[in-house]
């Protein structure tokens, strides 16, 4: 597993660093899971999520006592899980006008998931959520097995874009998505070629997607000549897909595997579904948004058993170094963009193209620092963070998330073979009356591991 190293030569697992403050972790794997078919070795990555979600009644076992962790889920089943966990989130129930969907032809009032589907999916879910059937009516296909790409598309519209990293530049999103080996991308030199590429059957004449082709893989289209020069065009499917894949990869909610395969057509299993839900909840909670959508309290590992990082975290999908099974990659962008206090998005922070430089920002007034650097074959990346009041740092290496306390900085990590490293700050403290907290993130690529340095007190 990727390691993160301080200049004092103290090594700790990247995704398990200081889980007390790490909002993405799920329940510890030592938790008892009351299902005989959940294997503590093969399903180690999902044990905590299964335990906490079954305990809260978000998902239940079967009458014979089994959980069936490897069984695929339908769109209706996923919807009901979201409906139960995020019990304040009912976008279509409160939508009106053209934003409201009044009915789906294949979801009659007597359907077992009628209420969750009708309350949840408003018109914003037209990519991945629903389409048009052979009779020209809106269709949801509730019993369709949900695949990973379709789930990523649905997550692109979930929670008012708060799961999406709206700060990430289009070029960065394009580069990340183009690196996926099994989700095709196309670079088109001009708008005429771009418009022609959209005529591949992704839309019906009405402009809706074809419900019979739901879950299909269509190329993500970009305007430009390649990963160093590309932007979004006007294709809604491509833009939704690119933003979702890049954002979910960067946040670690869903990501490709180490070889760059996202497995878009793989069915989402029950174990994977509850783990993704767990990550979403804890991600929103880390941003301060979970109470907007849920009245349910899910405990982080340290809140359940006082864990300080010796166990594996089911929510991160990583190992603790103790030989626990690494799960199938659960798919990758970051969440809601910080605001400047007036509802406007904070512009993306930028470090020099060579990855060396610094960013300063008043994080109390203007939102957290977030930026991406690309090693491009360099061996080590050194970084440091200074601030008026304590600010900690998320370090996301090719979708693997780490959390670093400011006291452990400066640090250096090996980045040979790494595509991208995302940094995102998180304020730890806000003293009463404080109106400013200027944080400065500094990064530098090196060819050799730096000498030992003194950590912050």
């Amino acid at each position: 597993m990727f390691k993160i190293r301080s200049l004092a030569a103290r090594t700790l697992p990247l995704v398990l660093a200081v889980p007390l403050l790490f909002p993405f972790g799920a329940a510890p794997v030592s938790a008892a899971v009351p299902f005989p078919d959940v294997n503590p070795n093969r399903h180690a990555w999902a044990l905590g999520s299964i335990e906490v979600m079954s305990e809260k009644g978000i998902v239940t076992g079967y009458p014979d006592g089994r959980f069936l962790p490897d069984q695929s889920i339908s769109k209706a089943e996923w919807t009901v899980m979201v409906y139960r966990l995020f019990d304040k989130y009912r976008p279509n129930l409160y939508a009106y006008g053209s934003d409201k969907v009044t009915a789906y032809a294949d979801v009659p009032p007597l359907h077992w998931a009628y209420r969750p589907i009708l309350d949840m999916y408003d018109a914003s879910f037209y990519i991945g959520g629903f389409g048009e059937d052979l009779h020209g009516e809106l269709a949801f296909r509730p019993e369709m097995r949900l695949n990973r790409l379709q789930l990523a598309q649905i997550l692109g519209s979930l929670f008012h874009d708060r799961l999406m990293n709206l700060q990430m530049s289009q070029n960065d999103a394009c580069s990340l998505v183009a690196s996926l080996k099994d989700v095709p991308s196309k670079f088109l030199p001009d708008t005429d070629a771009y418009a022609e590429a959209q005529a591949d059957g992704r839309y019906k004449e009405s402009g809706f997607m074809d419900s019979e082709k739901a879950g299909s893989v269509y190329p993500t289209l970009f305007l430009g000549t390649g990963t160093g020069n590309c932007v979004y065009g006007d294709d809604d499917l491509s833009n939704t897909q690119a933003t979702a894949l890049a954002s979910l990869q960067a946040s670690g909610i869903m990501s490709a595997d180490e070889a760059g395969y996202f497995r878009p057509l793989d069915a989402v299993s029950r174990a994977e579904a509850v783990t993704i839900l767990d990550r979403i909840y804890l991600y929103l909670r880390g941003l301060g948004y979970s109470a907007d959508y849920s009245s349910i309290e899910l405990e982080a590992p340290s809140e359940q058993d006082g864990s300080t990082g010796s166990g594996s975290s089911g929510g991160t999908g990583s190992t603790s170094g103790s030989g626990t099974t690494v799960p199938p990659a659960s798919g990758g962008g970051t969440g809601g963009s910080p605001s400047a206090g007036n509802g406007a998005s904070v512009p993306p922070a930028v470090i020099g193209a060579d990855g060396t430089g610094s960013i300063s920002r008043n994080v109390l007034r203007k939102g957290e620092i977030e930026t991406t650097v690309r090693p491009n074959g360099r061996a080590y990346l050194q970084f440091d963070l200074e601030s008026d009041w304590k600010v900690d740092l998320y370090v996301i290496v090719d979708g693997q998330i780490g959390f670093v306390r400011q006291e452990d900085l400066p640090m250096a990590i090996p980045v040979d073979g790494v595509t991208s490293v995302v940094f995102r700050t998180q304020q730890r403290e806000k003293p009463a009356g404080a109106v400013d907290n200027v944080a400065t993130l500094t990064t530098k690529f090196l060819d050799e591991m730096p000498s030992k340095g003194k950590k912050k007190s």
Side-chain angles (χ1 to χ4, degrees):
M1 185 180 65
F2 192 88
K3 301 289 183 179
I4 191 165
R5 183 186 303 258
S6 74
L7 296 186
R10 184 171 61 86
T11 303
L12 65 161
L14 176 64
V15 296
L16 295 177
V18 199
L20 179 63
L21 297 177
F22 183 43
F24 297 84
V29 298
S30 59
V33 180
F35 300 106
D37 59 334
V38 177
N39 187 292
N41 293 315
R42 190 160 63 87
H43 300 115
W45 55 276
L47 287 182
S49 298
I50 293 172
E51 192 273 338
V52 73
M53 291 298 177
S54 60
E55 179 183 279
K56 297 293 184 179
I58 308 306
V59 63
T60 59
Y62 286 82
D64 62 2
R66 295 181 299 164
F67 184 78
L68 301 183
D70 301 318
Q71 178 171 288
S72 63
I73 64 165
S74 68
K75 289 177 67 181
E77 288 168 333
W78 166 262
T79 302
V80 170
M81 291 181 191
V82 176
Y83 191 83
R84 289 171 177 168
L85 177 57
F86 299 103
D87 56 349
K88 297 181 181 180
Y89 182 59
R90 305 289 185 263
N92 196 51
L93 178 63
Y94 301 112
Y96 57 91
S98 60
D99 293 331
K100 190 175 186 69
V101 176
T102 56
Y104 292 107
D106 54 354
V107 186
L110 294 181
H111 189 280
W112 70 274
Y114 172 81
R115 181 49 54 198
I117 292 171
L118 261 292
D119 285 358
M120 283 275 297
Y121 295 99
D122 63 12
S124 68
F125 290 89
Y126 64 99
I127 302 295
F130 60 85
E132 186 178 274
D133 66 13
L134 296 174
H135 307 290
E137 297 181 290
L138 294 187
F140 184 77
R141 298 195 64 188
E143 308 312 323
M144 177 185 181
R145 298 292 101 181
L146 188 64
N147 69 34
R148 285 170 50 82
L149 182 61
Q150 192 173 24
L151 177 55
Q153 293 169 348
I154 290 172
L155 295 182
S157 297
L158 212 61
F159 305 117
H160 312 100
D161 294 329
R162 283 178 167 175
L163 293 180
M164 298 296 101
N165 180 6
L166 302 183
Q167 295 184 62
M168 185 182 296
S169 73
Q170 293 181 6
N171 191 82
D172 282 348
C174 162
S175 298
L176 196 157
V177 172
S179 71
L180 299 175
K181 295 180 179 178
D182 52 358
V183 181
S185 297
K186 284 187 179 180
F187 300 97
L188 291 311
D190 53 51
T191 54
D192 289 340
Y194 188 93
E196 184 177 346
Q198 294 181 56
D200 58 0
R202 62 184 62 199
Y203 303 115
K204 301 188 73 172
E205 290 185 5
S206 63
F208 286 111
M209 298 190 71
D210 188 339
S211 65
E212 298 302 311
K213 299 179 180 178
S216 300
V217 178
Y218 290 100
T220 309
L221 308 179
F222 297 102
L223 280 169
T225 56
T227 55
N229 175 30
C230 51
V231 295
Y232 290 1
D234 61 1
D235 179 51
D236 290 343
L237 170 59
S238 294
N239 300 344
T240 298
Q241 192 161 280
T243 299
L245 290 172
S247 296
L248 296 171
Q249 172 85 14
S251 68
I253 293 173
M254 296 182 72
S255 61
D257 62 22
E258 293 180 358
Y261 292 95
F262 184 77
R263 298 179 291 114
L265 295 178
D266 279 12
V268 178
S269 71
R270 281 167 55 84
E272 192 174 16
V274 296
T275 302
I276 291 171
L277 269 181
D278 199 0
R279 293 174 183 173
I280 290 171
Y281 177 93
L282 295 173
Y283 180 80
L284 291 172
R285 189 174 75 171
L287 294 173
Y289 295 143
S290 61
D292 293 348
Y293 304 115
S294 180
S295 64
I296 296 171
E297 287 290 333
L298 297 185
E299 296 178 337
S302 59
E303 297 168 335
Q304 289 195 4
D305 67 350
S307 169
T308 58
S310 59
S312 172
S313 171
T316 63
S318 300
T319 71
S320 64
S322 59
T324 52
T325 303
V326 180
S330 294
T334 59
S337 61
S339 74
N342 58 1
S345 296
V346 177
V350 177
I351 285 180
D354 63 353
T356 296
S358 63
I359 301 171
S360 293
R361 174 176 288 164
N362 188 332
V363 294
L364 262 182
R365 292 177 177 268
K366 295 186 177 181
E368 303 292 353
I369 293 172
E370 183 164 1
T371 192
T372 303
V373 298
R374 300 187 181 282
N376 294 322
R378 304 301 292 272
Y380 297 95
L381 174 60
Q382 178 179 316
F383 51 94
D384 198 4
L385 184 64
E386 301 284 349
S387 60
D388 298 333
W389 305 102
K390 293 296 184 185
V391 175
D392 299 310
L393 191 65
Y394 289 106
V395 184
I396 306 170
V397 181
D398 283 349
Q400 295 188 24
I401 308 172
F403 184 88
V404 184
R405 290 172 61 93
Q406 193 170 17
E407 289 84 350
D408 291 316
L409 297 170
M411 282 191 174
I413 58 175
V415 290
D416 184 32
V418 170
T419 301
S420 66
V421 181
V422 177
F423 294 101
R424 187 188 313 124
T425 59
Q426 177 173 290
Q427 297 179 75
R428 187 196 313 172
E429 58 186 14
K430 181 183 177 182
V435 295
D436 295 300
N437 187 5
V438 177
T440 300
L441 172 68
T442 303
T443 65
K444 183 178 182 181
F445 283 114
L446 303 169
D447 293 323
E448 297 181 355
M449 176 62 77
S451 59
K452 296 179 181 180
K454 184 178 181 181
K455 293 187 295 179
K456 294 177 174 62
S457 58

